[in-house]
């Protein structure tokens, strides 16, 4: 009997003590969870800003110069042309080599295929670029009456447009472990003065995915 009351009186203060200790623990846990949540949000923001800063430096492909060397169309509706196009593959990354592969661009006039520009895979060292010089020669391109009319109009206005459209795959080699891959998509309108062949510069840079 005596011992029973003794245990009970012992248990009660102990239980009260535990309750007192549990509350700060939960608070501590809540604080830690909050800190972790804030850290995750901050890390996310840092990654996002880092992405925004790095993004313009992803490998890009652009047309830096061009020239219309020849443009001729006859009464049978056949076109002959030669176009020089300088395509620049640029690796703005100061820490990794970039590999460009699967380059395939179609040059067209008003939907009519003129030529396909391709390149073997190549490397571009850190923070540098490489120019690909294409001299596209094409003859006996059959034109529809509408396209002939388009060319006559181009001569009159001294302005002709070709479309350059296509894709390339690029990747950074990051250490021995892996790589970061990108997909460059180019879709440009190249405009020239047919009377003297001058290229009318415009922005022609790939969009990455
Ligand atoms: C990258 O190249 C540009 C010019 O080619 C140069 O001004 C810049 O300092 C280079 N950056 C690095 C990190 O090497
Ligand atoms: C380029 O032309 C080829 C052959 O005409 C066609 O198969 C391909 O889909 C074209 N690519 C683009 C991006 O238009
Ligand atoms: C070519 O012709 C255009 C339009 O007439 C002119 O603006 C341009 O300066 C000429 N270019 C050269 C190299 O003569």
């Amino acid at each position: 009997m005596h011992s029973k009351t003794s245990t009970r009186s012992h248990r009660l203060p102990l239980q009260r003590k535990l309750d007192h200790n549990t509350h700060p623990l939960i608070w501590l846990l809540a604080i830690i969870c909050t800190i972790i949540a804030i850290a995750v949000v901050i890390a996310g923001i840092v990654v996002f800003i880092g992405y925004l800063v790095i993004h313009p430096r992803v490998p890009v492909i652009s047309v830096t110069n061009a020239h219309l060397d020849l443009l001729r169309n006859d009464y049978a509706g056949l076109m002959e042309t030669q176009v020089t196009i300088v395509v620049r593959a640029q690796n703005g990354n100061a820490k990794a080599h970039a590999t460009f592969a699967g380059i395939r661009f179609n040059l067209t006039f008003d939907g009519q295929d003129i030529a396909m520009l391709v390149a073997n895979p190549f490397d571009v060292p850190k923070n540098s670029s490489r120019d690909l010089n294409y001299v596209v020669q094409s003859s006996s391109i059959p034109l529809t009456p509408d396209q002939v009319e388009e060319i006559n109009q181009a001569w009159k206005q001294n302005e002709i447009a070709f479309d350059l459209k296509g894709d390339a795959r690029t990747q950074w080699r990051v250490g021995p472990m892996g790589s970061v891959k990108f997909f460059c998509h180019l879709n440009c309108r190249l405009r020239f003065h047919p009377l003297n062949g001058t290229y009318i510069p415009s922005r022609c840079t790939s969009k990455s995915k």
Side-chain angles (χ1 to χ4, degrees):
M1 188 84 186
H2 198 266
S3 71
K4 243 185 188 172
T5 37
S6 147
T7 28
R8 199 174 281 162
S9 68
H10 260 292
R11 200 183 276 159
L12 277 172
L14 191 73
Q15 223 150 23
R16 224 176 275 134
K17 234 187 225 162
L18 259 176
D19 277 349
H20 257 297
N21 281 347
T22 310
H23 278 290
L25 256 174
I26 286 172
W27 272 110
L28 197 68
L29 223 72
I31 289 168
I32 289 171
C33 282
T34 307
I35 289 171
I36 289 172
I38 290 170
V40 166
V41 168
I42 288 174
I45 291 169
V46 166
V47 166
F48 180 67
I49 289 171
Y51 175 78
L52 286 185
V53 169
I54 286 171
H55 194 65
R57 292 170 165 226
V58 300
V60 291
I61 283 180
S62 53
V63 170
T64 54
N65 204 0
H67 193 262
L68 181 63
D69 307 323
L70 174 77
L71 180 68
R72 202 180 283 157
N73 57 303
D74 62 17
Y75 291 101
L78 295 178
M79 181 172 78
E80 185 183 354
T81 189
Q82 182 179 312
V83 190
T84 298
I85 301 171
V86 182
V87 175
R88 178 166 295 171
Q90 204 162 1
N91 176 23
N93 193 321
K95 296 209 165 60
H97 277 243
T99 303
F100 289 78
I103 288 182
R104 197 169 277 245
F105 303 126
N106 286 349
L107 185 69
T108 59
F109 168 72
D110 197 33
Q112 173 66 51
D113 287 335
I114 293 173
M116 188 186 283
L117 285 61
V118 296
N120 289 327
F122 58 90
D123 271 9
V124 175
K126 302 164 186 174
N127 194 31
S128 69
S129 64
R130 178 170 164 175
D131 283 353
L132 307 170
N133 290 285
Y134 289 99
V135 179
V136 176
Q137 236 177 341
S138 193
S139 59
S140 302
I141 305 161
L143 300 179
T144 65
D146 281 354
Q147 289 164 340
V148 170
E149 184 53 34
E150 187 101 2
I151 291 225
N152 290 338
Q153 220 36 45
W155 281 114
K156 270 185 211 141
Q157 291 166 355
N158 193 20
E159 188 179 316
I160 190 165
F162 293 96
D163 293 304
L164 188 66
K165 200 170 171 181
D167 305 293
R169 295 189 310 274
T170 72
Q171 72 183 68
W172 283 331
R173 272 179 279 125
V174 186
M177 307 224 302
S179 61
V180 186
K181 290 183 185 174
F182 301 95
F183 194 72
C184 292
H185 182 69
L186 198 69
N187 186 1
C188 295
R189 180 146 274 214
L190 305 178
R191 292 181 306 134
F192 302 90
H193 293 301
L195 290 178
N196 61 9
T198 310
Y199 173 59
I200 304 166
S202 65
R203 192 182 144 76
C204 175
T205 300
S206 64
K207 288 179 179 65
S208 288
K209 277 181 224 164

